[in-house]
Amino acid sequence: MNVIAINGSPRKTGNTATLLEYAVKGAGSQNAAAETLHLYELQYKGCISCFGCKHKDNAGTGFCAVNDGLSPVLEKVMNCDVLLLGSPIYYSDVTGMMRSFMERLLFMNLTYDDPYRKAPGKSISSAFIFTMNLPKEGESYYKPIFEANSKLFECLGGTSEYLACFDTYQFDDYSKYAAGIFDVSHKEKVRKEQFPLDCERAFEIGARLAKP
């Protein structure tokens, strides 16, 4: 079982990256081979609508024709069995780097001849981890956004699910920032009591999806 984890956060050790790490550990508990890739380390752009992935005369039909830092990542994803994704919520959606990755990956897996193109000879199951500063009371507003982003990955032919983590701890020292609307003691409580539970849930997702 081959697992690829995609970190759409600019931080390598923040909330999103930590939860992805637990999901990867869960996959490892099932003896899966896993690799984590950080989008903010790469130089690439979103889909440019060149339709190279749709062109009949293109030897690479079905694969993104743009050659940049994302190309090897797309190749690895198309050869994996499980795709784990993580992104913080910025202005009511995933980060720009994650959105550009999604455009490139998902459009090349959508054909105009048939409803969907699947990974060659197999299906790729996926799980999306979302992190956000908003308290859980705001879940009803964001749930359709979580569901929509997660469902897009069904075009890879496998199951798709998501884990949403709320009220995340943003700063090591809140006193250094203009963040007076937050109750620091509450934030610390959530970090101490809820975040470990979210990590457990991430581990369980990774283990379940990577189970032979």
Side-chain angles (χ1 to χ4, degrees):
M1 188 71 71
N2 184 20
V3 177
I4 295 294
I6 303 291
N7 179 21
S9 168
R11 299 181 177 86
K12 288 182 170 183
T13 58
N15 299 307
T16 304
T18 298
L19 288 162
L20 270 179
E21 181 182 355
Y22 273 89
V24 167
K25 287 179 180 178
S29 73
Q30 301 299 317
N31 296 317
E35 180 180 5
T36 301
L37 304 172
H38 302 277
L39 294 182
Y40 277 79
E41 289 185 338
L42 310 174
Q43 295 293 324
Y44 66 96
K45 61 183 70 176
C47 177
I48 61 173
S49 193
C50 68
F51 298 106
C53 61
K54 311 280 185 285
H55 204 287
K56 290 182 178 179
D57 296 331
N58 185 349
T61 294
F63 197 85
C64 182
V66 177
N67 185 17
D68 60 14
L70 194 63
S71 301
V73 174
L74 297 176
E75 184 174 357
K76 288 181 179 182
V77 170
M78 293 308 294
N79 285 293
C80 77
D81 302 293
V82 174
L83 178 61
L84 303 172
L85 308 114
S87 175
I89 295 296
Y90 287 0
Y91 286 93
S92 299
D93 214 325
V94 296
T95 61
M97 297 295 277
M98 176 58 77
R99 176 56 59 181
S100 293
F101 162 77
M102 291 170 62
E103 289 177 359
R104 296 273 295 278
L105 173 68
L106 300 177
F107 188 59
M108 75 182 198
N109 279 284
L110 175 68
T111 71
Y112 290 157
D113 289 328
D114 300 307
Y116 297 112
R117 176 187 295 115
K118 296 181 180 180
K122 63 179 180 181
S123 297
I124 301 173
S125 296
S126 63
F128 217 134
I129 297 174
F130 303 100
T131 61
M132 58 195 316
N133 181 52
L134 186 78
K136 188 170 175 59
E137 288 74 18
E139 182 175 12
S140 60
Y141 174 83
Y142 283 92
K143 187 175 181 180
I145 297 170
F146 300 149
E147 292 176 342
N149 278 296
S150 178
K151 189 172 179 60
L152 287 173
F153 286 86
E154 290 181 0
C155 74
L156 299 180
T159 61
S160 178
E161 59 185 280
Y162 73 87
L163 168 63
C165 304
F166 299 89
D167 221 351
T168 54
Y169 203 78
Q170 289 182 293
F171 313 119
D172 291 333
D173 185 351
Y174 273 76
S175 68
K176 294 180 179 180
Y177 299 90
I181 64 172
F182 300 117
D183 181 342
V184 179
S185 62
H186 169 73
K187 284 287 187 182
E188 292 175 345
K189 178 179 174 64
V190 173
R191 179 70 175 182
K192 181 179 179 179
E193 298 179 2
Q194 180 58 47
F195 193 70
L197 298 178
D198 291 335
C199 290
E200 290 180 10
R201 292 162 64 198
F203 182 96
E204 291 168 359
I205 287 175
R208 183 173 67 255
L209 292 182
K211 187 175 183 179

